[in-house]
Amino acid sequence: MTPLHPLKGPNKLKLGVFAANADGGLAITDVPERWRATWDDNLATAQIADRAGLDFFLPIARWAGFGGKNKVREWSFETFTWAAGLAAATQRIGLFMTVHVPLVHPLYAAKALATVDHISHGRAGLNIVCGWNPKEFGMFNIPLVEKGYDQAAEWLAVIEKAYASSEPFDFAGDYYKLTNAVSRPASLQSPRPVTMNAAFGGPGRDFAAANCDYLFTTFTDISQAGQHVADIRSRSAHIGRDVGAYTVCHVVCRDTQAEAEAYYERYAATEADHAAVDAHMAGKKEFSSSHDSSAYDLYRKRFGGGAGSYPLVGTPEQVAEEMAAIAAEGYEGIALSFANYLYELPYFCDRVLPLLRSRGLRT
Ligand SMILES: Cc1cc2nc3c(=O)[nH]c(=O)nc-3n(C[C@H](O)[C@H](O)[C@H](O)COP(=O)(O)O)c2cc1C
């Protein structure tokens, strides 16, 4: 029998590590200790997270970088092969693959996803992105798709049909036309590995509500964060499904508040890779609706610190308190990034996880 996926496990608030597969992680900084995303550092970080009982390791899908002094994000590991390598070197943690639907044929994705699910004995996860960056897709000479989420719905339907079919099948869709298709083995998880969709706008949320297990989204202020959870819950309840929400935060945790804020100011502002921050913000503003519009004007520092995500900056007690507030807004999980994962994750696990356990959010 397939073991329970970590995202289905007992922890009330699931925690994971986000974007370690890419240069800089989520940060856009020029500090000497910036994250270079070497394989050895990825492996060591994944094993620390695995031993500490974190629930998932989640990559970003990135092909073109944001330029700047460090050619930020130009270096990144492809997520199927990255997850396969980590699956063989970890025991309990969930291993996600983030996939650009228009760039990967669903039959290829079906087999690669199933392969990682078998290597990991049922710990694979899928994070669907439809893409927003025309420069990136231009590399493949593939245009951004008008109705990206319609294609994504067909893409996922092909994967599910491939796993459910013991006989060859035909598929006649608007985006995919398949004849005598087979894909064996199927994933161990049925009908497919745990699936989330990283989106912010209406069409992405409707897609998640109809097809996924979770929406992966951002928020600007904790006080309003619950509105995104209520939105996806009502969209999914409307069609008889129960879809939860995960979010993303960047973390600076230190013994004192002053120490944490000083380091945040240094890596996310004073020594940010400013040209890359400009390019990233301009690209996101122009082509993607990943954040509330106010985030761009008010929170440039959040882009240097964590690609616009919400900052958790402070003592272990302060960070645990804000994480509890995010859980109270209805989020089932938080994907975490750090300026340097290997330097910062051990302290976070040692000092914050016990506080979350004492709040009943972690077992
Ligand atoms: C939490 C989160 C993570 C994302 N990760 C990626 C990624 O790894 N690669 C990517 O190309 N886009 C990523 N995106 C962008 C989305 O897939 C999407 O294109 C963008 O949010 C535009 O939103 P929309 O499709 O809802 O309009 C992410 C978005 C969010 C909110």
Side-chain angles (χ1 to χ4, degrees):
M1 194 182 75
T2 309
L4 197 62
H5 192 278
L7 264 60
K8 307 285 179 179
N11 287 317
K12 211 155 154 258
L13 179 66
K14 304 297 190 299
L15 294 177
V17 172
F18 184 42
N21 69 309
D23 166 81
L26 273 192
I28 307 178
T29 183
D30 188 33
V31 291
E33 67 277 15
R34 64 188 303 278
W35 184 248
R36 272 133 179 116
T38 66
W39 172 252
D40 291 346
D41 285 356
N42 265 263
L43 180 58
T45 304
Q47 291 173 330
I48 290 168
D50 189 35
R51 285 194 297 271
L54 295 189
D55 305 291
F56 62 96
F57 218 65
L58 175 67
I60 63 168
R62 190 85 299 130
W63 300 84
F66 308 131
K69 179 179 175 202
N70 297 285
K71 294 188 175 182
V72 172
R73 306 280 194 282
E74 195 169 284
W75 164 296
S76 71
F77 291 119
E78 186 282 322
T79 68
F80 286 125
T81 37
W82 171 88
L86 295 176
T90 53
Q91 309 305 318
R92 300 184 300 178
I93 199 165
L95 296 157
F96 275 77
M97 287 141 271
T98 298
V99 184
H100 283 123
V101 164
L103 303 184
V104 180
H105 191 279
L107 285 181
Y108 181 91
K111 197 171 277 294
L113 201 56
T115 302
V116 175
D117 206 33
H118 281 256
I119 296 171
S120 65
H121 299 103
R123 295 182 282 130
L126 173 64
N127 178 32
I128 290 175
V129 291
C130 287
W132 55 272
N133 185 344
K135 183 177 148 213
E136 192 160 53
F137 280 43
M139 283 161 54
F140 298 82
N141 194 22
I142 292 178
L144 275 180
V145 180
E146 179 65 30
K147 296 194 169 193
Y149 291 104
D150 292 357
Q151 179 179 10
E154 249 186 54
W155 188 88
L156 204 51
V158 167
I159 291 176
E160 287 187 14
K161 187 158 180 58
Y163 291 159
S165 305
S166 53
E167 297 305 319
F169 65 95
D170 296 346
F171 187 93
D174 296 333
Y175 299 91
Y176 303 106
K177 299 191 184 328
L178 312 177
T179 310
N180 284 333
V182 292
S183 184
R184 296 186 64 232
S187 59
L188 294 175
Q189 297 173 68
S190 179
R192 54 168 159 68
V194 168
T195 300
M196 55 174 72
N197 173 44
F200 194 83
R205 292 179 183 197
D206 284 336
F207 167 75
N211 300 284
C212 302
D213 303 297
Y214 304 101
L215 174 73
F216 183 31
T217 197
T218 57
F219 65 85
T220 302
D221 291 308
I222 292 183
S223 60
Q224 292 131 23
Q227 67 183 350
H228 303 303
V229 180
D231 181 49
I232 189 67
R233 286 231 173 269
S234 77
R235 286 174 197 256
S236 55
H238 194 66
I239 51 174
R241 298 189 77 237
D242 175 23
V243 175
Y246 275 58
T247 192
V248 47
C249 295
H250 54 288
V251 180
V252 181
C253 194
R254 297 286 189 275
D255 286 346
T256 67
Q257 196 65 29
E259 259 182 284
E261 285 171 9
Y263 184 67
Y264 188 42
E265 180 63 26
R266 186 162 76 82
Y267 98 86
T270 320
E271 295 182 40
D273 188 324
H274 297 290
V277 171
D278 293 339
H280 179 58
M281 289 178 74
K284 280 274 175 153
K285 249 190 206 168
E286 184 176 0
F287 300 113
S288 125
S289 59
S290 287
H291 305 278
D292 296 318
S293 54
S294 62
Y296 296 99
D297 308 327
L298 294 174
Y299 301 119
R300 179 185 169 84
K301 196 173 170 182
R302 294 186 184 186
F303 284 85
S309 62
Y310 186 82
L312 295 171
V313 177
T315 61
E317 293 70 22
Q318 172 65 22
V319 169
E321 186 166 326
E322 288 208 276
M323 293 177 94
I326 293 169
E329 291 289 319
Y331 288 91
E332 293 183 39
I334 307 175
L336 306 167
S337 74
F338 301 84
N340 184 303
Y341 300 82
L342 212 42
Y343 291 178
E344 311 233 8
L345 191 59
Y347 179 89
F348 172 86
C349 292
D350 291 349
R351 299 293 303 278
V352 179
L353 295 185
L355 297 173
L356 295 174
R357 278 195 286 274
S358 63
R359 288 169 177 269
L361 290 170
R362 309 268 314 160
T363 57

